[in-house]
Amino acid sequence: MTDEAGPSGSHVHVPMRERSTDEPHRASSPLELLFDLTFVVAVASITAQLAHGIATGHALDDLTPFLQVFFAIWWAWMNFTWFASSYDTDDVPYRLLTMVQMAGVLVLAAGVPVAFEDADYRAITIGYLVMRVGLVAQWLRAGREDPASRRTAVRYALGISVVQVGWLARLVLAETGVLPEASLLPVFLGLVVLELAVPRWAERARSTSWHPHHIAERYGLFTIILLGESVLAASTGVQAASAAGSGVSRSLVAIALGGLVLLFALWWLYFLEPAGEGLATRRHRSFVWGYGHYGIFAALAAVGAGLEVAVESTGHHLEVSETGVGYAVAVPVAVFLVLLWAVHAPIVRRPVIPPVLILGAAVVVFLVPLAAGAVGLAVVVVTVAAVCSALVATTVLSRPRRAGVRRRGVLE
């Protein structure tokens, strides 16, 4: 290794070996950051599709394809992230195979509109296939060049390949009419279970040497990307409202500012928990933390769609009620709060955010839209933002006192 983030990309080939789990100053590489940017396109596409479904009153109809496509995005990102944490060599072959996976993301993103509109998942499946081919090649290389981890690497390559055959078979059988439409969702869920089982099975041979603080940073960066997508979605809603010719109304300003405060509060809450330290001390519980982020990430993407529709509603009439739009914002926020507690509880000895407060805030947020008909959508969005901001303030202000209690307990 020529530096802390990995060897220089000017190296044609560097033998792939496991990186140390306690490597100092481990940080995301420029290649990982570039890799994340390709996912911006895919996330923006599914967020826009969900927002359209909410605005037209078909949110529940679009929820299933949203969660299905988001799984493909999240799972491909997550698999690369954990692999890179263990085996990043940053040489020429590694960079080229990463580029292959990035190309797959773009193909997948191009297929999102037809997946929502016509239930056509051909481009989605092909893009996913390209990403998986790149990852399998990486695992095969790891197995060939690192004898100590060969069994684990081969298991990963085999498991990913077998499940990918299942995805291709699902597409072919659906296109030829052999697989009834009613069975598509159950088959999808079955394949998801198999996908989630591959890492558990592969790691039984020998655990990979992922870096806890590097993984926590990578997840945090993807969280920021999703929050950025929400800002973009809200901006799109402002443009749509302005295009309707209604001008800048008080409700538009209130929802826009409330949405910004809400996103800032969600960002603050996420980074309050010491995920890196928790993963370092309780590595055996990393699966719960890592897998649970599917819900956290999907919720953040959905918040963006809800805010886009909420802002857009100030400019012209939509086919969905204010209560419906309020729930499009409140439900994903409530889900985010509950899952934020749930994924950190197994790895953090004592959560920074008191469970009673975060779960209580989730209940309040979920109930707020019931008043939309009486107080208006703007008040609902501002109230949801206020609840999350109050949770941040309460947690931050109580930390010095709670830290003092813990120190006294240790001294005693």
Side-chain angles (χ1 to χ4, degrees), residues 326-356:
Y327 270 114
V329 175
V331 168
V333 170
V335 169
F336 170 86
L337 294 175
V338 172
L339 290 180
L340 183 63
W341 163 78
V343 302
H344 286 95
I347 68 168
V348 179
R349 186 178 63 84
R350 182 173 181 178
V352 173
I353 310 173
V356 65

Side-chain angles (χ1 to χ4, degrees), residues 107-126:
V107 173
L108 185 150
V112 168
V114 292
F116 275 79
E117 297 168 9
D118 306 320
D120 182 351
Y121 288 90
R122 285 176 293 181
I124 297 286
T125 305
I126 293 172

Side-chain angles (χ1 to χ4, degrees), residues 81-327:
T81 294
W82 289 77
F83 176 86
S85 190
S86 299
Y87 298 102
D88 184 3
T89 59
D90 198 28
D91 58 2
V92 172
Y94 183 87
R95 288 189 172 194
L96 293 178
L97 287 174
T98 301
M99 186 184 69
V100 170
Q101 296 177 70
M102 292 165 60
V105 177
L106 298 179
V107 173
L108 185 150
V112 168
V114 292
F116 275 79
E117 297 168 9
D118 306 320
D120 182 351
Y121 288 90
R122 285 176 293 181
I124 297 286
T125 305
I126 293 172
Y128 190 68
L129 170 64
V130 173
M131 288 188 284
R132 307 310 270 169
V133 167
L135 184 62
V136 168
Q138 295 276 40
W139 277 116
L140 291 175
R141 180 189 173 193
R144 184 180 68 254
E145 300 182 4
D146 187 15
S149 62
R150 182 163 297 158
R151 282 192 65 196
T152 300
V154 170
R155 282 193 174 201
Y156 265 111
L158 178 61
I160 294 170
S161 299
V162 169
V163 179
Q164 184 57 52
V165 170
W167 289 114
L168 293 175
R170 175 181 181 268
L171 176 64
V172 172
L173 294 176
E175 290 292 322
T176 56
V178 175
L179 196 62
E181 184 176 350
S183 63
L184 291 178
L185 183 57
V187 172
F188 173 85
L189 294 176
L191 289 170
V192 165
V193 171
L194 292 177
E195 288 276 22
L196 298 176
V198 168
R200 297 298 299 265
W201 172 65
E203 297 277 336
R204 287 180 182 177
R206 184 175 182 269
S207 297
T208 51
S209 60
W210 51 270
H211 194 290
H213 293 281
H214 174 251
I215 287 293
E217 181 193 31
R218 297 290 293 119
Y219 273 66
L221 290 173
F222 201 71
T223 297
I224 292 174
I225 285 176
L226 292 167
L227 291 170
E229 290 291 348
S230 295
V231 174
L232 174 62
S235 176
T236 301
V238 171
Q239 293 174 8
S242 301
S246 58
V248 179
S249 63
R250 285 183 296 180
S251 59
L252 172 62
V253 174
I255 292 175
L257 291 179
L260 181 61
V261 171
L262 172 61
L263 296 176
F264 192 73
L266 296 181
W267 166 82
W268 200 323
L269 289 169
Y270 182 86
F271 287 98
L272 280 174
E273 297 292 353
E277 297 174 14
L279 289 171
T281 57
R282 299 185 178 183
R283 291 178 68 93
H284 61 290
R285 297 182 179 178
S286 60
F287 280 103
V288 176
W289 184 86
Y291 285 5
H293 271 74
Y294 166 72
I296 289 180
F297 289 162
L300 288 176
V303 169
L307 288 176
E308 177 178 343
V309 178
V311 173
E312 184 181 349
S313 68
T314 62
H316 53 78
H317 176 73
L318 301 178
E319 299 178 31
V320 61
S321 66
E322 288 191 332
T323 301
V325 178
Y327 270 114

